[in-house]
Amino acid sequence: PHKPCPAPAPRLSRRAMKHALTVTREQDFAAWYQEVIAEAEMAEESGVRGCMVIKPWGYGIWERIQHLMDARIKAAGVQNCYFPLFIPLSYFAKEAEHVEGFAKEMAVVTHHRLIGDGKGGLVPDPEAKLEEPLIVRPTSETVIGQAMGRWVQSWRDLPLLTNQWANVVRWEMRTRMFLRTSEFLWQEGHTAHADRDDAMQETLRALEMYRDHAENDLAMPVMAGEKPENERFPGAVATYSIEAMMQDGKALQAGTSHYLGTGFAEAAGIRYQDREGGQQLCHTTSWGVSTRLIGGVIMTHGDDDGLRVPPRIAPHQIVILPMLREDDGDAALLAYCEELRAALASQTVLGEPARVLLDKRAGKATQKRWGWVKKGVPLILEIGGRDAAGGQVSAVRRDRLYREDGKVNFVGEARDAFVARAAAELEDIQRSLHAEATGRRDAQIVRDVNDLAGLEAHFAESKRYPGWVELGWSRPTGDELEQVVTKLKALKLTIRNTPMDGAPVSGQCPFTGKPAVERIFVARAY
């Protein structure tokens, strides 16, 4: 019989040491997640339900994600644009299936002015009612489709490849910072093509771009694959996703890419004159990732001392903490630390100049150290007067924070030697985080469940850290698929995707009894 997947464990038990956070992953994963965000100073409540203030460290991580992703987008020949925050309701009315998918989440603007209510408050002015309600952008297919209908005239205008970095609003009932908020930041690519093959090539190119970004920039292993029919983007012909496993065994949809066929083009009038002079509908795509990636990074790499940020996306890869004594020796210590900062900043790390901060704030070095530990800086250096006099540094890797005895694992070495190997150390941290997350994910994928009873038993026995179950799948559609979805919903499970790794499949689908034609991952999800 299958066994419950193991829970993620800290390096040492709490009897051996005291962690920086008050709650561990093992005790309460949801509370741990919220504490990491608070203690790492990533975000805070805004006063508007479901909306957050992203603080400098959290936004700095988003800027790094944005920088790396934007370079990938532009390398594919996609150009950035910007489209309005407000979209006329009539644009959505042209695409009924699309509207139905978002209708319950739409924020609607109906008035353009407020007036006093005579009681010291403000109310909408009845005389300022808009002729047509405006939708606060939940996604931009409709408004971008209208623009594409104007921009595309001939086959010479294709493919049309656009992207925008923006905020969107979806009025969520149950919110959680970064993972599901009423307002979030994202990029959304929208492209138009002459035929299906070219559009599908772009859809899968974007999917691979997301997979590579997650694996190599975020050190977050993912499974790329196609979503089942019931999980498609509203109005899409096919939807693909990257799925990541969090430390509690749940799945996180970390990015999506959609082949939209010609449905959106027909609604928006996106047509082109072909080489023979005829009129043809364009095939369109859309694809996006959001600040949800930050939630994924937290739950993939965080530990009981806070966040651990992969070096590629760390706003500061190295932080230098001078142990100031507020006496005459501080000037010499700061001068030494500044020389060290400059030497490290001149190094190339993962293809870019090293990002190094000299933290000269007043306060005890140990207190500042734990602040940076909770933020997850990859390398932390503490430099005292003796280090400066002897040309030494004392460094700790965030991914190897403790020694076996539970003490912080600071390693002393000559300054020049440390500077020479700092880039290699950061590259090793990037690899180490990815390897750790991959090993944990692979250990929590179960492949010996062969029927619905076994699936139910697995998730009943493994309530806390259930991992994923990989099953054979006959690719049912319509009512047959709905029956499967209903059964899974009763178990609080969802189909994540069909992996595109090409591994062979055999046997029967446990849901339909028909021969399996592909494999699927079933999991609890965020």
Side-chain angles (χ1 to χ4, degrees):
H2 56 272
K3 297 179 180 179
C5 296
R11 293 181 181 275
L12 299 170
S13 71
R14 288 190 64 84
R15 292 190 298 274
M17 62 187 175
K18 182 179 179 181
H19 290 286
L21 303 182
T22 63
V23 62
T24 68
R25 294 161 290 170
E26 176 71 20
Q27 291 169 334
D28 188 333
F29 196 82
W32 166 85
Y33 175 79
Q34 296 294 344
E35 188 173 2
V36 171
I37 292 173
E39 292 298 313
E41 297 183 323
M42 301 184 72
E44 64 184 15
E45 298 291 344
S46 68
V48 177
R49 183 188 172 281
C51 298
M52 61 181 174
V53 174
I54 306 178
K55 300 174 79 171
W57 187 247
Y59 196 77
I61 293 173
W62 177 243
E63 286 181 312
R64 286 296 305 160
I65 291 172
Q66 186 178 33
H67 169 75
L68 294 166
M69 180 60 74
D70 198 56
R72 293 173 183 272
I73 289 169
K74 289 174 179 173
V78 182
Q79 299 185 83
N80 284 339
C81 305
Y82 185 79
F83 295 88
L85 175 67
F86 301 117
I87 303 173
L89 179 60
S90 58
Y91 284 19
F92 287 93
K94 296 177 181 179
E95 183 47 73
E97 187 177 354
H98 184 63
V99 172
E100 185 179 355
F102 287 101
K104 294 181 180 180
E105 299 176 347
M106 287 183 180
V108 185
V109 178
T110 57
H111 293 73
H112 66 80
R113 185 170 59 239
L114 300 175
I115 58 172
D117 62 359
K119 302 177 182 178
L122 295 170
V123 295
D125 184 348
E127 297 183 3
K129 188 174 182 178
L130 299 177
E131 292 184 8
E132 178 180 3
L134 299 175
I135 306 300
V136 182
R137 174 176 56 213
T139 181
S140 298
E141 274 75 13
T142 55
V143 68
I144 292 177
Q146 294 294 320
M148 285 182 168
R150 298 189 298 271
W151 297 349
V152 174
Q153 300 298 320
S154 161
W155 61 269
R156 298 180 181 86
D157 300 322
L158 298 173
L160 177 60
L161 310 175
T162 66
N163 176 69
Q164 77 164 340
W165 291 92
N167 62 336
V168 295
V169 172
R170 298 178 187 174
W171 214 255
E172 296 284 356
M173 297 303 295
R174 298 178 181 178
T175 61
R176 185 176 298 183
M177 286 186 181
F178 292 112
L179 296 179
R180 193 173 294 277
T181 50
S182 296
E183 180 191 15
F184 54 91
L185 308 180
W186 76 348
Q187 60 75 213
E188 50 178 319
H190 297 269
T191 68
H193 305 262
D195 54 43
R196 179 190 182 280
D197 288 347
D198 199 51
M200 278 299 299
Q201 184 176 347
E202 172 63 20
T203 303
L204 296 178
R205 181 207 67 78
L207 180 71
E208 171 56 22
M209 174 180 69
Y210 291 152
R211 187 205 64 78
D212 193 60
H213 173 67
E215 299 268 357
N216 292 307
D217 296 339
L218 311 184
M220 183 169 70
V222 295
M223 295 293 190
E226 185 176 0
K227 303 289 276 187
E229 180 183 298
N230 66 298
E231 293 282 347
R232 286 177 189 159
F233 179 72
V237 175
T239 288
Y240 300 83
S241 71
I242 55 171
E243 304 284 335
M245 184 188 291
M246 303 296 95
Q247 290 185 56
D248 61 350
K250 290 184 180 179
L252 181 76
Q253 180 177 289
T256 51
S257 185
H258 316 284
Y259 167 56
L260 303 176
T262 58
F264 282 86
E266 186 170 16
I270 314 173
R271 291 180 170 82
Y272 69 98
Q273 186 178 58
D274 62 24
R275 294 171 187 263
E276 289 72 39
Q279 289 290 313
Q280 304 292 338
L281 285 170
C282 288
H283 293 249
T284 62
T285 80
S286 67
W287 31 271
V289 295
S290 74
T291 38
R292 168 174 269 225
L293 288 175
I294 297 176
V297 168
I298 295 169
M299 292 193 293
T300 299
H301 299 303
D303 64 14
D304 295 337
D305 293 289
L307 184 58
R308 296 187 300 172
V309 185
R312 280 193 187 273
I313 60 168
H316 307 309
Q317 295 166 321
I318 305 173
V319 169
I320 302 169
L321 301 176
M323 302 177 74
L324 301 173
R325 297 181 178 276
E326 299 184 2
D327 59 24
D328 293 341
D330 284 354
L333 175 58
L334 286 170
Y336 176 82
C337 289
E338 176 54 37
E339 290 176 4
L340 175 60
R341 186 207 63 78
L344 289 167
S346 70
Q347 303 297 303
T348 298
V349 177
L350 297 165
E352 299 179 278
R355 296 182 293 281
V356 188
L357 174 71
L358 172 56
D359 185 351
K360 297 186 284 188
R361 294 173 300 161
K364 294 182 178 180
T366 53
Q367 291 178 332
K368 292 194 291 183
R369 175 216 302 165
W370 285 106
W372 289 114
V373 163
K374 287 185 281 190
K375 282 182 166 66
V377 171
L379 280 173
I380 300 171
L381 278 55
E382 284 190 5
I383 310 296
R386 290 183 181 179
D387 295 314
Q392 299 285 306
V393 300
S394 185
V396 63
R397 284 174 51 149
R398 179 61 183 86
D399 65 326
R400 299 177 184 171
L401 188 58
Y402 297 106
R403 303 191 313 228
E404 290 298 322
D405 62 3
K407 294 183 179 179
V408 177
N409 189 28
F410 273 106
V411 177
E413 99 182 84
R415 182 187 69 175
D416 292 346
F418 177 81
V419 170
R421 70 175 188 83
E425 193 82 352
L426 288 165
E427 290 167 4
D428 188 62
I429 293 171
Q430 184 80 24
R431 287 191 298 268
S432 176
L433 288 173
H434 183 266
E436 180 184 326
T438 301
R440 182 174 54 243
R441 179 199 64 184
D442 292 349
Q444 295 190 87
I445 295 178
V446 173
R447 295 184 170 90
D448 60 354
V449 174
N450 300 310
D451 53 35
L452 186 60
L455 184 70
E456 184 175 2
H458 168 77
F459 282 95
E461 295 169 11
S462 313
K463 290 182 179 179
R464 296 190 65 193
Y465 300 101
W468 300 355
V469 173
E470 187 179 46
L471 297 165
W473 182 241
S474 62
R475 203 177 177 91
T477 62
D479 291 341
E480 191 174 38
L481 174 60
E482 284 303 313
Q483 291 176 18
V484 174
V485 171
T486 299
K487 293 176 183 177
L488 290 174
K489 189 177 294 185
L491 300 175
K492 298 182 178 179
L493 300 174
T494 56
I495 301 168
R496 302 319 304 160
N497 66 19
T498 298
M500 301 180 70
D501 56 15
V505 61
S506 61
Q508 292 183 324
C509 171
F511 300 103
T512 66
K514 297 178 181 178
V517 297
E518 60 190 19
R519 295 170 297 120
I520 57 169
F521 291 112
V522 174
R524 295 197 178 111
Y526 285 97

